[in-house]
Amino acid sequence: MEHDLALRHGDSMAVAGRSRGPVVRLTVRPLQSGSFPPMDKAMSSAPASLATPGGRIVAVLGPTNTGKTYLAMERMGAHRTGMIGFPLRLLARENYEKLVKLKGEAQVALVTGEEKIIPPAPRYWVCTVESMPLDRQVQFLCVDEIQLCADDERGHIFTDRLLHARGGEETMFLGSDMIRPLIQKLIPRVEIISRPRFSSLTYAGHKKLTKLPPRSAITAFSVTEVYQLAEMVRRSRGGTAVVMGALSPRTRNAQVAMYQAGDVDYLVATDAIGMGLNMDVDHVWFARLSKFDGQRPRRLTAPEVAQIGGRAGRHLTDGTFGTTWDCSPLDEQTVQAVENHTFQPLTSLTWRNADLDLRSVDGLLRTLEARPPSPLLIRARPADDQLALQALAQDSDVMALTRRPNGVKQLWEVCQIPDFRKTMTDAHTKLLAQIYQHLMAPGGRLPTDFIAAQVQRLDKMEGDIDALVARIAHVRTWTYVAHRPDWLKDARHWQGVTRAVEDRLSDALHERLTQRFVDKRSAGLVKVLRDGRDLLGHIDEAGIVRVESHPVGALSGLSFAMEADVGEDDRPTLMSAARRVLRDEVARRVAALEAAGDEAFTLGADGNLLWQDVALARLVPGTGLLVPAVRVTGDDLLEGTQRDRVRQRLTAFVQARIAADLSPLLRLRDADLSGPARGIAFQLADATGNLPRATLDPLIQTLDRDGRKALARLGVRLGFSRVFLPALAKPRCMAMLGLLWSVREGGDLPVALPPPGRISVPRGHLPDGLLAAVGFLPLGPRAVRVDMADRLEAVLAERAPKGELSDLSGLAPLAACTAAEVPGILAALGWREKRQPPPAEGEAAKPPVWTRRRPTRAKAEKAARPVPLDTDHPFAALAKLR
């Protein structure tokens, strides 16, 4: 079986949008099976000078704990120059530090997306696979965990390295034996070296969480489960370290150091430990055998079980793997595959075109969707950078900038800024649009005040573990940006700033993790736990929670409040006991909350959501003004999906309340309209039913009679200078709009709104945006209700058709103001007092005359009409072409 595969010389995906290079057509044939030389003779003893012409290519394949990484680092050190790519930033950092000890800081560079330590003339480069600077020529090049070529999310990067990344004298790929057939087919002259595991890995069955032996790692696949397991291990075993992919290297190293030093004997982790992070783990226990892979929940494959479970045992020390908690035992087929390291070989690798067309966004998207050149390769699903590009392609402001020189190339580079927060919203896309617009502005640099504001708001050490993790993830984005010297005026300064912020957050996170999961216990409770007896507890009818007959707190709603006299050392243990005592009661209350009707809930003026007169959650900014989000508060007792179930029920209540209070606005938003009427309805609904007429004039001028009637039936008034919904002036509508606006803007709650029925109020300190949201126009010293402001403007237009007004009588009642306030309101409406010449001697002073600064509506409409085309004009032909 032969496969034609077009391989390009030159850079790989690390250089976005590389120029089109010469294509070499290769006929790829699978190698014949045969014996391979032993590792020692093939690698350790062979000098670099014996490399085959064009550079030796070696694949070192085998399970975990075979010394593959050690071999690669040793081989790289035997060459004058070298580069190695690791799958994780943490792993790259760990091996960089090892190599620095051997070769010295001046000889070794570290390059990851968020960290670059590059001495003036480094000989060795330690990188993440995505960040390998392949324009650097090195004698030795290595890629670790090459089986990730088949990964749905990152596989195309590894495949590109497999096909294109080469060292001048030696190239090495490390990974699982599953990829052997595909490597042999894609790289005909590859040498395969199989590495046996140094120690045995055996299945230990299922054990209770409280009976796990020391030096155990427990794996789960969600942050919630990790925290829950860590709490249980802390209660039963005195403490645990925590390792997750979301931790910064500094926090992760501090947690691992605590475990390695023996301060704790247990480690609770996500599958972040599966990629070569080196720890003295004797046993690996799976608390879950399913994970969310970015698209759907699925069961772990046997190779994934082996990758994680293989962390048990170091060098010649045997290891075991098994299941714990409520995870069912492994099936016999999986056990046999893991123990014997026999897995189905990979049949295809993921691929994405690296030969990109950067002349237009459409061309770039088209080339990203190109078909693979070989049946052994399958097209990768759209990665985050491609999804960001697709989203930004819908932004007209962004697309206008791509027509400038290098606009598409710059946009593609911006799209590759990672979304470390994984918000799964458009927040990251909006940030990319901001960055791109700044970079395409004159000067081509990000403004210093823009970066400073973004970083400063993350430099906060307060908050819980989740808040600190979120800030670390966010600051990592800015660390990545800071390592683009062509984007910033002082990149080195901002690299130091972002690193310092990340370090402070990391130290605070390590402290919070230690406080939460490694705490001292009171002597009596510790004795109960060490004896293996469960803590006894119950909750009485008044909500008082007792543990070992001692009152420790009270349950109110879904929140547990610890007694004030409980000591700090006892709080973690008692809280864990309370969780166990309250688990059934909390589950019962969550079910009752879900079944309750809307009348059981209250939305307070402060944005709090109450159930049974107890605050459960509060409104926070959501995806839009009319779609706020609900944040459950005091939710420490909620487990698994309970928090989501509570949030969903409260969100449904909020949306029902908004639909009832703002029915005119939602009826307009959802009306079956077309053409200009639909455009007017959409914009009005998005702007709380109140917009300047000038904003909508292009649509209003094209409205036909049916469209005007349809809008009128929906309560839309096309006023003199505003388009608005008079029905929103009702107190209930105003209160809801004021609340939603304050939630979106992060303002203080509750807000003192204009009293019901008022035509106008003094402006005071109310924000103009809030006044506009509740239907009041800020006009000079007063805020006037929009319908009365429109009526006032109509009267002014009637009295002064030519734009001059000398009689101000009768205007004050229309605005519900004093006569002294009328001039200020007129000035805000665009009128100005015309200076009168001084009266002659003995002549009475003339009354002031007010003139309109802007043209009347009739003149504005006339000016907005299109100018007829002069067909005899020499540029008429160009206008037709346009």
Side-chain angles (χ1 to χ4, degrees):
M1 184 83 180
E2 296 185 354
H3 304 286
D4 268 352
L5 178 63
L7 300 181
R8 294 193 178 277
H9 295 302
D11 296 345
S12 69
M13 286 294 295
V15 182
R18 64 178 185 230
S19 61
R20 300 169 183 266
V23 179
V24 178
R25 184 66 61 183
L26 299 179
T27 300
V28 181
R29 300 181 180 88
L31 288 181
Q32 299 298 319
S33 60
S35 59
F36 297 96
M39 183 276 296
D40 290 340
K41 293 183 179 180
M43 299 301 299
S44 298
S45 302
S49 60
L50 296 182
T52 58
R56 184 185 190 189
I57 303 177
V58 181
V60 183
L61 307 177
T64 56
N65 192 23
T66 58
K68 296 188 295 293
T69 304
Y70 180 85
L71 169 66
M73 296 291 285
E74 185 181 59
R75 289 300 302 155
M76 184 165 70
H79 289 271
R80 188 172 55 85
T81 59
M83 181 184 301
I84 186 167
F86 291 101
L88 296 177
R89 174 193 183 194
L90 298 175
L91 194 53
R93 186 43 135 140
E94 178 182 301
N95 284 281
Y96 163 78
E97 292 171 354
K98 291 179 180 179
L99 194 58
V100 164
K101 291 179 180 179
L102 295 175
K103 300 292 184 179
E105 290 186 4
Q107 303 295 323
V108 187
L110 174 67
V111 181
T112 70
E114 309 139 67
E115 190 174 19
K116 290 181 176 63
I117 303 174
I118 305 177
R123 294 171 53 200
Y124 304 101
W125 298 76
V126 181
C127 322
T128 52
V129 174
E130 285 85 347
S131 300
M132 296 173 73
L134 299 179
D135 55 335
R136 299 273 181 169
Q137 298 297 318
V138 292
Q139 293 179 340
F140 175 87
L141 185 142
C142 178
V143 179
D144 191 19
E145 303 291 356
I146 195 62
Q147 77 277 359
L148 288 179
C149 287
D151 183 70
D152 288 339
E153 184 176 356
R154 302 169 63 201
H156 64 279
I157 307 276
F158 285 77
T159 299
D160 189 85
R161 302 298 184 262
L162 177 68
L163 298 178
H164 303 300
R166 297 292 182 266
E169 296 180 356
E170 185 175 353
T171 301
M172 181 178 287
F173 299 110
L174 313 178
S176 168
D177 200 62
M178 295 187 304
I179 200 172
R180 175 196 293 256
L182 292 181
I183 286 186
Q184 290 176 325
K185 292 176 182 178
L186 292 171
I187 308 176
R189 60 192 182 93
V190 69
E191 300 176 36
I192 303 291
I193 296 178
S194 296
R195 295 295 300 263
R197 184 177 167 90
F198 288 140
S199 60
S200 64
L201 181 65
T202 56
Y203 180 55
H206 181 89
K207 286 186 181 294
K208 288 185 177 181
L209 193 64
T210 56
K211 302 297 183 181
L212 299 184
R215 312 315 290 170
S216 285
I218 307 156
T219 60
F221 299 96
S222 74
V223 173
T224 301
E225 289 177 345
V226 167
Y227 292 166
Q228 188 175 2
L229 286 164
E231 286 280 4
M232 298 171 72
V233 173
R234 180 197 55 77
R235 185 180 68 235
S236 62
R237 287 292 183 263
T240 179
V242 173
V243 171
M244 301 180 293
L247 300 185
S248 65
R250 190 180 181 97
T251 305
R252 172 260 175 188
N253 289 342
Q255 289 286 303
V256 170
M258 184 171 63
Y259 172 82
Q260 292 290 85
D263 295 338
V264 292
D265 269 331
Y266 297 88
L267 177 74
V268 179
T270 62
D271 52 350
I273 66 169
M275 285 294 171
L277 299 182
N278 297 314
M279 290 165 287
D280 295 329
V281 174
D282 294 336
H283 318 277
V284 172
W285 306 94
F286 291 87
R288 280 283 182 270
L289 286 173
S290 61
K291 63 181 289 188
F292 182 75
D293 64 1
Q295 288 189 321
R296 64 189 184 281
R298 63 169 178 80
R299 188 173 177 83
L300 294 180
T301 64
E304 288 172 327
V305 173
Q307 185 74 36
I308 299 168
R311 293 302 144 198
R314 295 292 302 154
H315 196 52
L316 299 178
T317 302
D318 294 339
T320 66
F321 68 102
T323 59
T324 187
W325 203 25
D326 56 356
C327 181
S328 58
L330 287 164
D331 60 88
E332 185 62 28
Q333 184 177 0
T334 301
V335 170
Q336 291 296 324
V338 174
E339 288 186 338
N340 299 318
H341 319 299
T342 55
F343 309 108
Q344 290 293 323
L346 298 174
T347 57
S348 60
L349 307 180
T350 57
W351 176 90
R352 185 173 80 175
N353 186 23
D355 190 11
L356 303 179
D357 181 359
L358 296 175
R359 293 172 296 181
S360 69
V361 172
D362 288 341
L364 176 55
L365 288 169
R366 185 176 60 255
T367 50
L368 283 169
E369 293 291 339
R371 296 175 63 84
S374 166
L376 300 178
L377 307 175
I378 59 173
R379 189 169 61 192
R381 73 187 187 196
D384 288 347
D385 53 4
Q386 186 175 347
L387 294 175
L389 179 65
Q390 291 171 352
L392 292 175
Q394 307 303 315
D395 189 324
S396 57
D397 294 334
V398 169
M399 291 300 291
L401 296 174
T402 62
R403 290 189 283 272
R404 297 182 183 178
N406 292 322
V408 178
K409 180 177 183 294
Q410 184 71 277
L411 178 62
W412 180 233
E413 291 179 354
V414 169
C415 286
Q416 293 173 68
I417 297 175
D419 180 13
F420 293 109
R421 292 176 292 172
K422 301 297 182 185
T423 57
M424 302 188 74
T425 67
D426 61 351
H428 183 67
T429 305
K430 290 179 179 178
L431 176 62
L432 297 186
Q434 282 183 290
I435 292 174
Y436 178 65
Q437 289 165 344
H438 282 308
L439 292 176
M440 294 303 293
R445 294 288 192 276
L446 295 177
T448 300
D449 55 351
F450 169 70
I451 304 173
Q454 297 286 340
V455 176
Q456 185 177 4
R457 67 189 181 91
L458 300 173
D459 193 8
K460 299 175 182 177
M461 303 305 115
E462 64 271 12
D464 58 12
I465 291 173
D466 291 337
L468 292 172
V469 168
R471 288 191 200 117
I472 289 174
H474 200 172
V475 82
R476 288 176 68 189
T477 297
W478 292 105
T479 302
Y480 180 94
V481 171
H483 281 87
R484 287 299 304 261
D486 53 329
W487 288 1
L488 297 90
K489 294 179 181 178
D490 189 354
R492 187 175 296 276
H493 165 74
W494 288 110
Q495 290 167 16
V497 170
T498 55
R499 172 50 51 80
V501 172
E502 182 177 331
D503 286 349
R504 286 193 291 273
L505 289 169
S506 299
D507 291 342
L509 178 58
H510 173 62
E511 181 182 349
R512 299 285 200 288
L513 290 170
T514 304
Q515 287 175 348
R516 181 168 176 180
F517 301 126
V518 186
D519 286 290
K520 296 178 180 179
R521 323 276 183 90
S522 65
L525 293 176
V526 168
K527 186 177 185 303
V528 172
L529 294 173
R530 286 179 178 172
D531 291 344
R533 295 189 290 111
D534 290 336
L535 292 170
L536 302 177
H538 72 280
I539 176 173
D540 62 23
E541 294 181 357
I544 303 300
V545 180
R546 298 178 181 273
V547 175
E548 296 292 326
S549 74
H550 299 291
V552 296
L555 181 66
S556 176
L558 299 175
S559 301
F560 175 73
M562 189 80 71
E563 289 282 346
D565 60 350
V566 174
E568 288 297 324
D569 291 343
D570 296 337
R571 281 178 177 267
T573 299
L574 294 178
M575 187 64 190
S576 297
R579 286 176 187 277
R580 193 184 326 172
V581 170
L582 297 173
R583 183 177 292 115
D584 292 341
E585 175 63 16
V586 168
R588 186 192 67 78
R589 294 192 182 193
V590 169
L593 181 145
E594 285 184 295
D598 285 349
E599 67 278 359
F601 302 99
T602 303
L603 175 58
D606 57 356
N608 282 326
L609 290 157
L610 287 77
W611 177 56
Q612 298 178 347
D613 297 324
V614 176
L616 298 182
R618 61 179 295 103
L619 295 184
V620 294
T623 57
L625 179 78
L626 301 179
V627 192
V630 172
R631 177 181 296 160
V632 181
T633 56
D635 56 353
D636 289 341
L637 296 175
L638 299 181
E639 300 177 353
T641 62
Q642 289 177 337
R643 186 178 293 101
D644 290 335
R645 290 162 56 196
V646 171
R647 186 187 302 112
Q648 289 169 6
R649 179 63 189 94
L650 295 177
T651 299
F653 160 72
V654 170
Q655 289 303 311
R657 176 69 183 276
I658 292 173
D661 290 357
L662 301 179
S663 57
L665 192 61
L666 271 65
R667 189 167 59 249
L668 176 66
R669 183 193 67 181
D670 301 331
D672 185 14
L673 299 171
S674 60
R678 178 59 186 157
I680 292 172
F682 177 81
Q683 293 189 52
L684 270 182
D686 194 52
T688 68
N690 174 16
L691 278 175
R693 179 162 182 147
T695 302
L696 299 174
D697 258 341
L699 293 173
I700 294 174
Q701 291 175 17
T702 58
L703 271 177
D704 57 17
R705 180 176 298 179
D706 291 339
R708 290 176 181 269
K709 287 182 178 179
L711 290 175
R713 283 195 297 271
L714 291 167
V716 177
R717 182 178 297 176
L718 305 179
F720 184 83
S721 66
R722 309 288 297 187
V723 179
F724 58 95
L725 286 170
L728 295 180
K730 296 178 181 178
R732 192 171 180 179
C733 296
M734 289 174 53
M736 179 58 74
L737 288 170
L739 172 62
L740 295 179
W741 184 90
S742 298
V743 168
R744 185 187 68 181
E745 300 299 320
D748 295 332
L749 292 169
V751 177
L753 298 176
R758 293 291 180 88
I759 292 175
S760 72
V761 294
R763 284 180 66 176
H765 300 292
L766 289 178
D768 290 350
L770 174 62
L771 290 170
V774 299
F776 277 73
L777 295 184
L779 298 176
R782 308 285 295 184
V784 184
R785 208 171 66 203
V786 63
D787 58 340
M788 298 307 298
D790 186 77
R791 181 179 173 188
L792 175 60
E793 288 200 272
V795 170
L796 292 172
E798 182 180 346
R799 287 192 185 183
K802 296 183 178 180
E804 289 194 354
L805 179 70
S806 58
D807 182 14
L808 304 185
S809 63
L811 297 181
L814 292 175
C817 65
T818 65
E821 292 174 315
V822 170
I825 293 176
L826 289 178
L829 288 172
W831 295 78
R832 63 180 178 183
E833 187 177 355
K834 183 179 180 181
R835 294 184 179 180
Q836 297 285 4
E841 186 174 351
E843 184 179 7
K846 296 181 180 180
V849 175
W850 289 78
T851 60
R852 192 172 180 84
R853 294 181 185 174
R854 52 192 180 193
T856 63
R857 191 170 73 199
K859 289 184 178 179
E861 290 176 350
K862 182 178 179 181
R865 294 189 192 117
V867 179
L869 181 65
D870 180 3
T871 56
D872 295 328
H873 195 279
F875 290 98
L878 291 178
K880 291 179 181 178
L881 289 175
R882 184 184 64 183

